[in-house]
């Protein structure tokens, strides 16, 4: 630790001698965390930051936010912008079915920060990367009723009303943000943009089904919620309840006017970017039988969304890959392509 501190101090001295400003990379993560916590202002409903720790990896900060809507603290992993003291837009990254919290510590689970190169890829970008932890099986939605197992779920409120003003004040946000999500989160990113289009001006949906209220969509949502031991009736009501249609981004696609849209998916055929199979026949079987089937389904959903947006004359970018399954290797590739559109919005 001492050696690292000495190196940072020496680097700052050398920059000063050269007449250059000390860049953000010279700031200790614990200093950035402390300043962020001190600067964070509560959201209008009283939600507020209650802790910030620089526990890594790298410059990542664990920001703990008390959500008034859910009545509990939520952990948000944040990669600060290259210069955390300068204005920066935020890229919100939502995880899949387990909310990135399949283990007690998100650092050992499967999520954007552990399964892709996002921490290295965006380390020098003047954008704040925000990854909420939790929400497994919830579709990041506002549930109609508290679930006996999953508890009170008001994720849409948290992500669009409570968290953004805290991130803005803690990390010098510009209010120009983007959001991307995989699998279960693919419909959530559209709901976020439809709820707050001025903030989330760009959405990225990777390997997901956006239509959630038709019979196939309801079956898909119910299966995922039930697999997490929740009751889908507590989400949007019983089958046929108006809550399903009210929360279906496909049906309300007209509310995406002015929002830039990027959608990608594989087609279920095996390709070069599987999840580290390494000759393991079980991993290969899982990739083909589960990951392949899932992206086969999402490929069909994505084509329906493409046709829906085209009928509404809403421009969008669709990447329908000739191969690819439901796995992080492809989503990393998707994020790189998505970043080409996000960078001018977030860092400009």
């Amino acid at each position: 630790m001492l050696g690292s501190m000495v190196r940072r101090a020496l680097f700052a001295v050398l920059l000063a001698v050269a007449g250059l400003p000390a860049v953000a990379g010279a700031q200790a993560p614990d200093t950035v965390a402390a300043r962020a916590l001190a600067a964070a202002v509560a959201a209008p409903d009283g939600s507020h930051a209650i802790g910030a720790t620089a526990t890594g990896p790298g410059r990542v900060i664990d920001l703990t936010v008390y959500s008034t809507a859910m009545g509990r603290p939520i952990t948000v992993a944040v990669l600060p912008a290259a210069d955390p003291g300068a204005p920066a837009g935020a890229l919100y990254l939502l995880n899949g079915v387990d909310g990135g919290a399949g283990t007690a510590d998100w650092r050992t689970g499967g999520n954007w920060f552990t399964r892709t190169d996002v921490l290295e890829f965006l380390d020098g970008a003047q954008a704040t990367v925000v990854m909420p932890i939790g929400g497994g099986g919830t579709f990041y939605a506002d549930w109609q009723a508290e679930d006996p197992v999953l508890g009170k779920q008001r994720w849409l409120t948290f992500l669009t009303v409570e968290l953004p003003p805290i991130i803005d004040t803690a990390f010098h946000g510009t209010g120009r943000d983007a959001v991307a999500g995989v699998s279960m989160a693919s419909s959530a990113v559209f709901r976020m943009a439809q709820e707050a289009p001025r903030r989330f001006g760009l959405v990225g949906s990777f390997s997901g089904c956006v239509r959630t209220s038709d019979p196939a969509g309801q079956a898909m949502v119910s299966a995922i919620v039930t697999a997490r031991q929740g009751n889908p009736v507590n989400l949007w009501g019983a089958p046929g309840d108006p809550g399903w249609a009210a929360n279906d981004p496909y049906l309300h696609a007209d509310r995406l006017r002015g929002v830039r849209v990027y959608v990608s998916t594989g087609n279920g055929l095996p390709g070069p970017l599987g999840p580290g199979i390494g000759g393991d026949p079980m991993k290969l079987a899982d990739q083909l039988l589960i990951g392949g089937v899932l992206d086969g389904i999402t490929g069909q959903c994505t084509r329906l969304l493409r046709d829906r947006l085209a009928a509404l004359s809403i421009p969008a970018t669709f990447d329908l890959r000739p191969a690819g399954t439901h796995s992080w290797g492809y989503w990393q590739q998707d994020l790189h392509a998505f970043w080409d559109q996000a960078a001018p919005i977030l860092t400009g």
Side-chain angles (χ1 to χ4, degrees):
M1 178 63 72
L2 180 60
S4 176
M5 294 175 61
V6 170
R7 284 195 297 272
R8 284 196 292 268
L10 179 59
F11 183 59
V13 170
L14 291 174
L15 288 174
V17 171
L20 298 173
V23 297
Q27 297 184 28
D30 54 354
T31 299
V32 175
R35 289 176 176 173
L37 182 61
V41 174
D45 72 347
S47 298
H48 58 283
I50 57 177
T53 56
T55 46
R59 298 188 299 111
V60 173
I61 293 169
D62 273 9
L63 181 70
T64 305
V65 175
Y66 180 82
S67 166
T68 298
M70 289 191 275
R72 65 178 184 273
I74 304 294
T75 298
V76 181
V78 179
L79 175 67
D83 181 356
L91 171 59
Y92 288 70
L93 295 177
L94 302 190
N95 291 299
V97 66
D98 68 357
T103 60
D105 184 347
W106 67 260
R107 293 163 187 79
T108 61
N111 52 66
W112 278 109
F113 284 5
T114 62
R115 294 294 178 87
T116 75
D117 68 352
V118 63
L119 296 182
E120 294 77 25
F121 180 61
L122 297 180
D123 187 59
Q126 189 53 30
T128 304
V129 185
V130 180
M131 184 180 74
I133 305 298
T138 68
F139 284 82
Y140 294 106
D142 281 358
W143 286 40
Q144 288 187 359
E146 185 169 344
D147 189 85
V149 175
L150 299 182
K152 190 175 184 179
Q153 306 296 335
R154 304 287 294 178
W155 282 94
L156 185 61
T157 295
F158 178 71
L159 293 169
T160 61
V161 176
E162 297 181 331
L163 182 59
I166 296 172
I167 293 294
D168 281 353
T169 53
F171 297 98
H172 300 274
T174 63
R176 299 189 307 273
D177 298 338
V179 58
V182 301
S183 191
M184 180 195 75
S186 293
S187 61
V189 299
F190 283 100
R191 284 192 293 274
M192 289 173 63
Q194 289 167 340
E195 188 73 17
R198 292 187 178 180
R199 174 173 291 277
F200 297 107
L202 172 64
V203 298
S205 171
F206 311 148
S207 293
C209 280
V210 173
R211 191 172 187 178
T212 53
S213 68
D214 67 339
Q218 289 192 35
M220 178 264 299
V221 170
S222 296
I224 291 174
V225 172
T226 301
R228 303 295 298 182
Q229 300 183 345
N231 185 343
V233 172
N234 294 322
L235 173 54
W236 293 317
D241 188 291
W244 287 87
N247 287 278
D248 188 334
Y250 178 92
L251 296 181
H252 303 284
D254 59 299
R255 293 170 58 190
L256 293 171
R257 296 190 190 281
V259 175
R260 298 176 65 179
V261 175
Y262 181 96
V263 184
S264 65
T265 185
N267 60 8
L269 296 176
L273 298 178
I277 292 170
D280 186 327
M282 295 300 294
K283 288 185 178 180
L284 176 61
D286 177 80
Q287 176 68 354
L288 295 178
L289 297 178
I290 299 179
V293 170
L294 288 174
D295 260 36
I297 295 171
T298 63
Q300 298 176 30
C301 294
T302 299
R303 288 175 174 82
L304 290 174
L305 178 63
R306 178 194 59 187
D307 296 344
R308 169 74 168 158
L309 294 181
L312 292 169
S313 299
I314 296 177
T317 299
F318 282 84
D319 181 7
L320 302 174
R321 295 189 298 270
T325 52
H326 214 70
S327 56
W328 285 105
Y330 294 100
W331 299 333
Q332 173 176 295
Q333 185 181 69
D334 294 335
L335 183 65
H336 285 208
F338 178 75
W339 179 248
D340 289 339
Q341 295 190 23
I345 297 173
L346 304 184
T347 66

